[in-house]
Amino acid sequence: MLARLAELGLKGHLSEGVERTIIGVVGSVFPELQEMLEAMEGVDDVVRVSKPFKLSSREFQPSDTTIQVGDVTIGGQEVVVMAGPCAVESEQQLMATARAVKAAGAHILRGGAFKPSTSPYTFRGMGEDGLKIMAAAREETGLPIITEVMTPSDIELVARYADILQIGARNMQNYMLLDEVGKSQKPVMLKRGMSATIEEWLLSAEYILSQGNRQVIMCERGIRTYETYTRNTMDISAIPIIKRLSHLPVIGDPSHGTGKWYLVAPLALASVAAGADGIMVEVHPNPDHALKDGAQSLTFENFRQLMAQLPPVAASVGRRVGTGPQRVSV
Ligand code: PEP
Ligand code: MN
């Protein structure tokens, strides 16, 4: 089947489910194709996917995608918590945060080493030194790490350290970058562009998927609206919309979604109530002195409080908050 599709100049993407195998056909399809495929042995049905996004759609894959990162499963029964500072600032800052979020029950450590900044004069990250500190924190805590990659030429370097590659909001439509992370073996978390429609966001996921990387996680991080009270408007509705349209896991990021620390917990809980597969929150030992995003960062104590509020909300929508990776080296 795949060979025949290739002969026709089309690409077949396989999705093997429990009950049936679905082959997603992409390329310039022609009117006779449907009948040709229907006539082939083993073909039960041929359905035209009407949406512009194909591989990310529920029609292509009815069952949820789950992504395994070490001991953590993203997109399964358990709600996953990613936490850490906006930017890695020093070994001491990151290690203290990693220990605190781990003790409070986080599953994945976040921290930027390459920071996209609206202004060129603000902190732009520690680069590879920051990645080394993240890796050391993983070594000590057992928490897998997620960090941003901003440019195709850095993918190899970042992938050497990271468990999940993050594509930032500003790069959601950097198609060369999407193509290249699509060729990587690492899971990719794709943040929604601040002015992107849901369809544009899914089409960006499509770039990664169509290169062969099926491990894509969507992240709602707020969109720009006329409201100025908050940094962005957290689009909670995007969460159930993505779950309906797509099989990909979706994470809520109320830190960037609101820009204000006291709005992070309520919007994190709302994300989970709306069906998010997890949350990503910024945590800092001393938010007042953070080099980036201090105003939206939780203190250790505030993060602990949020973690205590999460289980009943998860339970109310039939989910659990996992216990987190068990391995801790001493
Ligand atoms: C971040 O996660 O720190 C970040 C820069 O987010 P975004 O790309 O959503 O602005
Ligand atoms: Mn940030």
Side-chain angles (χ1 to χ4, degrees):
M1 179 75 163
L2 294 178
R4 180 73 186 115
L5 289 169
E7 274 170 24
L8 295 167
L10 300 164
K11 203 161 176 205
H13 294 262
L14 211 59
S15 166
E16 287 184 85
V18 188
E19 284 173 15
R20 64 183 124 189
T21 297
I22 299 177
I23 299 177
V25 181
V26 290
S28 45
V29 294
F30 44 92
E32 305 78 21
L33 183 66
Q34 178 143 1
E35 282 175 9
M36 274 175 70
L37 296 177
E38 273 165 354
M40 288 174 80
E41 211 183 305
V43 175
D44 177 39
D45 198 9
V46 177
V47 179
R48 229 192 133 89
V49 177
S50 48
K51 309 216 168 46
F53 45 91
K54 312 277 179 197
L55 304 176
S56 55
S57 75
R58 280 257 179 228
E59 283 155 296
F60 170 59
Q61 184 185 310
S63 60
D64 288 345
T65 283
T66 57
I67 295 168
Q68 198 63 34
V69 186
D71 295 339
V72 184
T73 307
I74 303 170
Q77 247 280 307
E78 295 185 344
V79 166
V80 169
V81 178
M82 308 182 183
C86 179
V88 181
E89 298 170 11
S90 68
E91 185 168 348
Q92 203 216 4
Q93 170 247 17
L94 200 265
M95 286 299 180
T97 310
R99 287 177 194 131
V101 300
K102 157 95 188 171
H107 309 103
I108 294 174
L109 178 67
R110 68 147 284 148
F114 294 95
K115 292 305 303 177
S117 282
T118 302
S119 160
Y121 308 121
T122 53
F123 182 54
R124 294 169 73 174
M126 290 180 72
E128 188 172 4
D129 288 343
L131 297 175
K132 288 184 176 156
I133 296 172
M134 287 290 284
R138 168 179 53 205
E139 196 50 45
E140 187 191 303
T141 61
L143 296 175
I145 56 180
I146 177 168
T147 195
E148 179 159 353
V149 60
M150 289 174 57
T151 176
S153 57
D154 284 342
I155 293 174
E156 202 202 308
L157 171 73
V158 177
R160 236 184 283 146
Y161 295 93
D163 298 294
I164 306 174
L165 302 173
Q166 176 171 319
I167 300 293
R170 291 158 191 79
N171 273 322
M172 189 208 82
Q173 287 177 310
N174 182 341
Y175 300 119
M176 304 288 275
L177 182 61
L178 300 178
D179 271 343
E180 292 306 314
V181 294
K183 292 174 192 157
S184 148
Q185 308 294 316
K186 295 277 172 161
V188 176
M189 189 168 89
L190 178 65
K191 298 193 93 177
R192 181 180 183 180
M194 58 189 83
S195 307
T197 64
I198 287 170
E199 188 167 299
E200 288 163 344
W201 184 21
L202 283 167
L203 283 167
S204 287
E206 202 74 15
Y207 269 83
I208 304 169
L209 296 164
S210 63
Q211 291 294 336
N213 189 343
R214 299 294 183 78
Q215 304 188 88
V216 178
I217 304 155
M218 307 294 277
C219 177
E220 163 61 39
R221 48 77 72 206
I223 49 175
R224 183 161 287 190
T225 68
Y226 53 78
E227 181 56 65
T228 54
Y229 187 78
T230 44
R231 176 176 174 182
N232 291 292
T233 295
M234 179 82 180
D235 183 8
I236 293 289
S237 68
I239 293 167
I241 292 172
I242 292 292
K243 296 300 289 182
R244 184 186 173 92
L245 294 175
S246 174
H247 51 85
L248 297 172
V250 58
I251 300 291
D253 170 359
S255 304
H256 297 87
T258 65
K260 293 194 156 113
W261 70 268
Y262 56 88
L263 295 175
V264 169
L267 274 295
L269 299 173
S271 298
V272 171
D277 297 292
I279 53 168
M280 173 185 256
V281 295
E282 289 184 336
V283 179
H284 194 281
N286 189 353
D288 292 349
H289 288 78
L291 295 181
K292 269 194 97 64
D293 288 353
Q296 65 192 37
S297 296
L298 297 184
T299 59
F300 296 167
E301 180 51 30
N302 285 333
F303 181 66
R304 280 193 285 271
Q305 283 178 21
L306 167 59
M307 290 305 287
Q309 291 174 294
L310 219 45
V313 175
S316 74
V317 288
R319 309 288 286 269
R320 278 192 313 268
V321 181
T323 46
Q326 297 306 307
R327 182 178 69 85
V328 185
S329 52
V330 279

